[in-house]
Amino acid sequence: MGNKLLSRFTNSSSATPNDMTRRGFLVSMTAAGVAFGFPRASSAAMDPAAPNGVPVESVGETFEPTLWYWIDSEGRVNVNIIRAEMGQHVGTAIARILADELEVAWEDVNITHVDSAEKWGTMVTGGSWSVWQSWPIYRQAGAAGRTALIEAAATGWGVDPADCTARDGTVTDGTNSITYAELVSAGLSRSFSEDELKALPLKPHSELRLVGKDVTALDIANKTNGKAIYGLDAKVDGMVYGVPMLPPTRLGSSVTSVDDSAAKDVKGYLQTLTLDDPSGTVPGWVVVLGETLMAAKWASQVIKVEWAAGDTANVTEAEINGLSRALIADTTKGAILATETPDTADAFDKATNVIEAEYTTQTVLHFQLEPVNATVFQNEDGIWEIHTGNQWQSLILPTLSTALGVPADRITMRTYMLGGGFGRRLNGDYTVPAALASKAVGGKPVKLVFFREDDAQFDSPRSPSVQKLRMAFDTDNAVVGMEHHAAAGWPTGVVVPSFMPKGVNGEPYDPFAIDGADHWYSVGAHRVRAISNDLANKTFRPGWLRSVGPGWTNFAVESFMDEAAHQVGADPVEFRLQHLKAEGYNAGSAPNAVGGASRQAAVLRKVAEMSGYGTAELPADTAIGIATTFGQARSMPTWTAGAVQVHIDRETGEIDVQKMWLAFDCGTVVDPDSAHAQCEGAALWGLSMALYEGTTFENGNVVDRNLATYTPLRMIDTPEMDIAFVESTEVPVGLGEPGTTVIAPAIANAIYNAVGARLRSLPIRPDDVLAALNA
């Protein structure tokens, strides 16, 4: 590779590091070591606000009260962000939390999305956790800097720090004033222990000036002018391109023969690699290398590979669902969650009336805009560099360590913008074949790119699911018991089983495949059983897809609550409100769930009022359906309610979604514009999965692998939306996913209200509506 590498995205050979664009410089190697977009290896990371991705460098003296940021002698602040940026402005949200406590002007704030390093702790962007987890950490960090700077100024003036205030990067005691830049230039070395950080006084909510206010997102310019740098843009001098040839099964396949004779006539074809993967991530894989991406692709189309297929080669979705039903029927299977009263036997034995229903959901693909990709090489220091957009660096590093046969500290994941994540990039399995290919050619740089069909086939999809719900009533039609049995493939069980808690029966369970079933309704005895479908787990790698379990468990819960209301002749909204009681198990707790079920009841009332539910005069075959959830998990509830107005064409079964209303109580709204955008996007994703998205497994693989047959929501089908947030000073919780969870059940309930047809499977297609009407 030589002593100096200079790579560019531009086609011009005269481009320099100073005029880098999205298709400009990415990796340079100098005598000082390897750097990614900036001059020092120790600084390797990305600033999404900079056209070249190069983070701002400090000038003169610097002050670092914590590892989360520094202030330099010009008063500039650089905030370190460990979360991945995939369109949600997470860096802007987190930086403003710190900047508000630190008391600096927004125009002086920069962000750096850091590369992987042990000092950052767990690096993960998912579960709607980012702002929730960052809120206390970055507030404390900002308060530490403000405290230290005020103390330094007070010492210099010989006054009490309590008589000093800070604002916009300046400290004053009413008589004297000094800027942060001047204080840092004079030298400042104050540090804080963990206990000291926790004890620091934070600003009262009424004095927050950036949190909850509209500010310009720090990365918006490059996202809109094409200069943002994504993993797919990575380029390194001497790089070759790779295209995978996927085996017939996700696991268990092996290569028996490779014939690349026809590929030798393809200009730019280099060689074909049969990967040897000690990690077991990509068994039976073949990677075709070329001088260009298309040379590798065209060569792959004429190379003949024979495989010995794994034992899931003939598996169908019907078989997976059949096993789920059998597992649900076997009461000894699965984990029982720790609800308030998980033993429901007595309640159902003594019930006057029992209703039950089955709900199913199809396999759903991520289909993020940027297909997965990774560029890998071993640099001159012997460090393996993994250049890719990723949501959970800490998860894939041990796997890469096993695959490459080197300690994890000899691997660095370089940070890029993500052209969509939605949970797909939580599983970094796509980096492994790129790393193995580079290793096979002596550590030279290999850029592995998945074309759309391969990206879909290798996806970690949302598993198909089967759920059985039961409810018991006494002689007065009061609810005395409820059961929720859910079977599906488990993403956490397959990829990171150590994250799984245990149920009351001692069995582990995947919270991301059952959250939502443990709802906040008071229903008497309440049994929630989570069951892993091992056939699903063997056939594919179940994945975390936006809203994970709550995206399908709440379809069942909220459809069933409507069914239960109709069973006893109650209004569905009133029925819910009667059972959202903030008492006992559902009373809530500080700091994340203050108010419990009462806050869910409040957003339900709000969305009913917003939508005119029960009062609006609507045309025939038109109705509003309603649903409410708590977002992602009881430990971090985002109180959510949705209403959807639909019109049904009885002749064609077509579903016209005319308007959607959503109300959220997410505690403190940190970034109003991004919060609104996140909730809009989540709701539209929910609409897409409710009516348009879904595939099935046949012969061990998903049937639909491109957008000709996999048909997400199009812009033309996007309805009017009205979104509201409850004003709150409580802890901010997640917003990336909760809006997804209410749309499908609200649509199903609206269809029932409009034409009396009950749909219990997702997605809901026109033919399904016609079948239900005919039934």
Side-chain angles (χ1 to χ4, degrees):
M1 289 166 54
N3 292 327
K4 186 174 183 180
L5 285 178
L6 183 63
S7 64
R8 304 175 175 89
F9 287 132
T10 179
N11 292 325
S12 170
S13 60
S14 60
T16 70
N18 293 322
D19 60 20
M20 305 169 198
T21 66
R22 175 176 171 182
R23 306 215 173 268
F25 167 83
L26 190 59
V27 178
S28 67
M29 188 174 293
T30 68
V34 178
F36 166 53
F38 22 75
R40 299 196 312 269
S42 61
S43 305
M46 177 192 70
D47 178 359
N52 51 15
V54 179
V56 62
E57 281 197 80
S58 59
V59 174
E61 297 292 325
T62 61
F63 173 45
E64 297 184 63
T66 78
L67 80 166
W68 300 113
Y69 69 107
W70 51 253
I71 310 171
D72 71 4
S73 59
E74 293 186 349
R76 294 181 305 173
V77 178
N78 188 68
V79 184
N80 294 320
I81 307 294
I82 65 170
R83 313 292 178 171
E85 175 54 47
M86 45 194 163
Q88 80 279 40
H89 301 309
V90 67
T92 292
I94 292 172
R96 80 162 76 201
I97 294 170
L98 186 144
D100 210 328
E101 283 290 348
L102 182 60
E103 282 289 3
V104 292
W106 186 242
E107 56 266 26
D108 292 328
V109 178
N110 302 274
I111 57 176
T112 296
H113 287 267
V114 299
D115 291 341
S116 65
E118 187 176 356
K119 68 179 179 179
W120 304 119
T122 300
M123 298 181 71
V124 60
T125 312
S128 298
W129 293 341
S130 294
V131 167
W132 173 56
Q133 292 181 340
S134 300
W135 175 255
I137 295 171
Y138 283 82
R139 288 196 78 186
Q140 291 167 2
R146 172 169 46 84
T147 298
L149 289 157
I150 287 176
E151 288 177 351
T155 299
W157 297 327
V159 301
D160 188 337
D163 295 329
C164 301
T165 59
R167 176 66 64 90
D168 288 335
T170 298
V171 180
T172 181
D173 66 352
T175 302
N176 305 292
S177 64
I178 187 170
T179 66
Y180 285 5
E182 293 171 312
L183 288 165
V184 171
S185 296
L188 199 60
S189 60
R190 177 81 155 87
S191 62
F192 296 81
S193 68
E194 186 174 345
D195 289 340
E196 287 175 323
L197 283 172
K198 291 180 179 179
L200 289 172
L202 302 178
K203 293 168 60 175
H205 202 276
S206 60
E207 294 182 13
L208 295 174
R209 298 184 302 105
L210 294 175
V211 168
K213 309 299 190 296
D214 287 323
V215 301
T216 301
L218 296 175
D219 55 7
I220 193 64
N222 288 342
K223 286 178 178 175
T224 53
N225 64 21
K227 294 181 180 179
I229 300 173
Y230 298 86
L232 203 56
D233 297 318
K235 191 172 182 180
V236 183
D237 272 359
M239 178 179 77
V240 297
Y241 291 83
V243 169
M245 296 183 68
L246 304 187
T249 58
R250 181 65 177 79
L251 299 172
S253 292
S254 59
V255 176
T256 58
S257 68
V258 176
D259 179 1
D260 69 340
S261 55
K264 295 175 181 177
D265 293 329
V266 176
K267 183 179 179 181
Y269 167 66
L270 295 173
Q271 68 182 107
T272 299
L273 304 172
T274 299
L275 301 184
D276 177 18
D277 180 13
S279 74
T281 305
V282 287
W285 274 48
V286 170
V287 170
V288 180
L289 300 182
E291 294 176 358
T292 67
L293 178 59
M294 291 314 300
K297 179 62 175 176
W298 289 328
S300 72
Q301 293 172 339
V302 296
I303 292 171
K304 297 177 181 178
V305 181
E306 293 185 357
W307 283 277
D311 58 12
T312 60
N314 298 313
V315 171
T316 66
E317 187 138 328
E319 289 179 79
I320 294 171
N321 287 342
L323 177 59
S324 285
R325 292 186 175 96
L327 290 166
I328 289 172
D330 185 347
T331 58
T332 67
K333 301 297 185 183
I336 310 300
L337 271 64
T339 55
E340 192 167 31
T341 311
D343 186 352
T344 56
D346 187 61
F348 278 85
D349 287 344
K350 295 178 180 178
T352 301
N353 185 29
V354 173
I355 64 170
E356 64 179 53
E358 179 187 274
Y359 301 89
T360 62
T361 62
Q362 280 188 349
T363 299
V364 179
L365 301 174
H366 289 88
F367 254 99
Q368 70 288 341
L369 183 62
E370 178 193 10
V372 292
N373 59 85
T375 302
V376 180
F377 66 96
Q378 190 174 29
N379 68 31
E380 289 189 341
D381 294 325
I383 302 296
W384 287 94
E385 297 198 21
I386 316 294
H387 292 253
T388 190
N390 185 257
Q391 292 179 246
W392 197 350
Q393 297 91 323
S394 302
L395 177 63
I396 196 60
L397 279 168
T399 304
L400 286 165
S401 174
T402 301
L404 290 169
V406 299
D409 61 6
R410 304 297 291 171
I411 304 170
T412 295
M413 295 193 70
R414 301 299 193 189
T415 295
Y416 290 75
M417 301 276 273
L418 280 60
F422 311 120
R424 172 60 185 99
R425 288 180 163 91
L426 283 166
N427 185 353
D429 51 2
Y430 52 90
T431 65
V432 173
L436 292 171
S438 176
K439 182 180 180 181
V441 293
K444 294 179 181 178
V446 173
K447 180 174 184 175
L448 185 71
V449 176
F450 290 66
F451 281 72
R452 183 61 73 190
E453 293 84 357
D454 294 331
D455 180 69
Q457 183 176 336
F458 188 58
D459 194 9
S460 296
R462 187 176 84 176
S463 173
S465 71
V466 177
Q467 302 174 79
K468 180 180 179 180
L469 276 69
R470 304 175 72 219
M471 186 173 285
F473 302 86
D474 67 13
T475 55
D476 296 322
N477 279 335
V479 179
V480 294
M482 184 172 177
E483 294 181 350
H484 191 146
H485 311 271
W490 283 4
T492 313
V494 169
V495 181
V496 55
S498 61
F499 268 47
M500 295 199 299
K502 289 186 177 181
V504 296
N505 59 344
E507 293 295 322
Y509 67 92
D510 184 346
F512 299 104
I514 197 62
D515 279 343
D518 53 344
H519 52 67
W520 292 77
Y521 293 115
S522 295
V523 290
H526 184 200
R527 189 175 188 83
V528 177
R529 184 162 60 113
I531 308 166
S532 176
N533 186 313
D534 288 341
L535 183 58
N537 298 337
K538 292 176 183 177
T539 303
F540 58 97
R541 277 289 173 259
W544 300 281
L545 183 139
R546 189 175 191 176
S547 79
V548 287
W552 48 272
T553 59
N554 281 299
F555 168 62
V557 170
E558 285 301 293
S559 294
F560 195 57
M561 289 298 288
D562 245 50
E563 295 198 52
H566 290 296
Q567 173 71 23
V568 299
D571 174 79
V573 169
E574 288 304 316
F575 182 78
R576 287 175 171 83
L577 291 172
Q578 290 168 12
H579 294 90
L580 285 171
K581 302 174 182 177
E583 56 189 32
Y585 176 66
N586 296 318
S589 59
N592 304 313
V594 173
S598 65
R599 289 171 72 185
Q600 187 169 347
V603 292
L604 177 57
R605 290 190 185 95
K606 186 173 184 67
V607 88
E609 180 183 352
M610 290 167 61
S611 64
Y613 176 86
T615 61
E617 293 185 9
L618 300 173
D621 302 331
T622 303
I624 295 171
I626 222 156
T628 179
T629 73
F630 55 97
Q632 297 312 110
R634 285 185 69 97
S635 60
M636 186 200 69
T638 301
W639 313 106
T640 306
V644 179
Q645 180 173 309
V646 305
H647 172 76
I648 306 301
D649 187 321
R650 288 179 179 268
E651 298 299 319
T652 65
E654 291 290 335
I655 307 161
D656 177 18
V657 176
Q658 298 176 334
K659 188 168 182 178
M660 303 195 303
W661 298 263
L662 293 104
F664 298 90
D665 180 351
C666 61
T668 300
V669 177
V670 172
D671 188 340
D673 185 64
S674 291
H676 193 274
Q678 284 277 68
C679 293
E680 278 188 335
L684 292 174
W685 187 284
L687 173 58
S688 190
M689 291 191 291
L691 301 184
Y692 301 99
E693 288 191 57
T695 187
T696 58
F697 273 86
E698 296 291 339
N699 298 319
N701 285 294
V702 292
V703 171
D704 303 291
R705 302 179 197 172
N706 215 325
L707 296 172
T709 57
Y710 193 83
T711 55
L713 176 73
R714 265 56 172 181
M715 289 182 68
I716 195 172
D717 297 312
T718 300
E720 181 183 353
M721 285 185 283
D722 185 2
I723 294 173
F725 296 94
V726 173
E727 288 191 19
S728 175
T729 59
E730 298 294 346
V731 169
V733 288
L735 278 178
E737 300 169 287
T740 302
T741 63
V742 292
I743 300 301
I747 288 173
N749 295 336
I751 293 171
Y752 181 84
N753 293 340
V755 295
R758 176 60 65 182
L759 282 300
R760 299 187 181 95
S761 295
L762 296 181
I764 302 170
R765 310 281 194 185
D767 286 347
D768 301 320
V769 175
L770 289 178
L773 286 171
N774 292 333

